[in-house]
Amino acid sequence: MSDNKKPVRPKPSDVLNPGDIPKPSQTSEEKSQQLAVDTADITGDHIQVPTYFDVEEPDGEHKQLHHVKDAEEISDVIRQARTDEQGNRNWR
């Protein structure tokens, strides 16, 4: 007797990492401590990826960008970073 059940397709809202889902009720402090990934990679190095990245805008405003929801904006911020001869990061 064979089992003719079809595979269950995951919901689009299902994610692999609990940190992938933004939680609006979190405080800034809770967000700054949350990790999306906290594991060893294949080489044995320990990898930690924050769920939120703290960013300072040119006008001095601080924002917390979610690593999935705000990935494009995080990439834009990284592209703006420049390093001088002493290794100091300068932002343009």
Side-chain angles (χ1 to χ4, degrees):
M1 202 184 220
S2 67
D3 188 356
N4 290 330
K5 287 185 177 181
K6 291 184 180 181
V8 176
R9 185 177 295 238
K11 298 178 207 167
S13 60
D14 289 347
V15 294
L16 296 176
N17 298 310
D20 292 347
I21 301 172
K23 297 175 187 153
S25 62
Q26 285 183 306
T27 66
S28 293
E29 181 67 26
E30 290 170 327
K31 288 179 181 180
S32 67
Q33 294 177 5
Q34 185 179 354
L35 295 175
V37 177
D38 187 10
T39 190
D41 70 5
I42 195 167
T43 67
D45 290 338
H46 193 87
I47 304 295
Q48 291 184 323
V49 177
T51 301
Y52 290 88
F53 290 84
D54 293 319
V55 174
E56 183 177 347
E57 295 288 314
D59 64 0
E61 176 190 356
H62 287 268
K63 290 172 47 174
Q64 289 182 310
L65 302 177
H66 187 267
H67 76 283
V68 173
K69 184 176 76 78
D70 301 313
E72 188 172 327
E73 190 172 351
I74 291 169
S75 293
D76 291 343
V77 169
I78 292 169
R79 283 198 250 341
Q80 295 173 15
R82 298 292 181 258
T83 306
D84 64 17
E85 296 79 28
Q86 291 80 34
N88 298 315
R89 185 159 288 196
N90 296 311
W91 299 92
R92 59 177 184 141

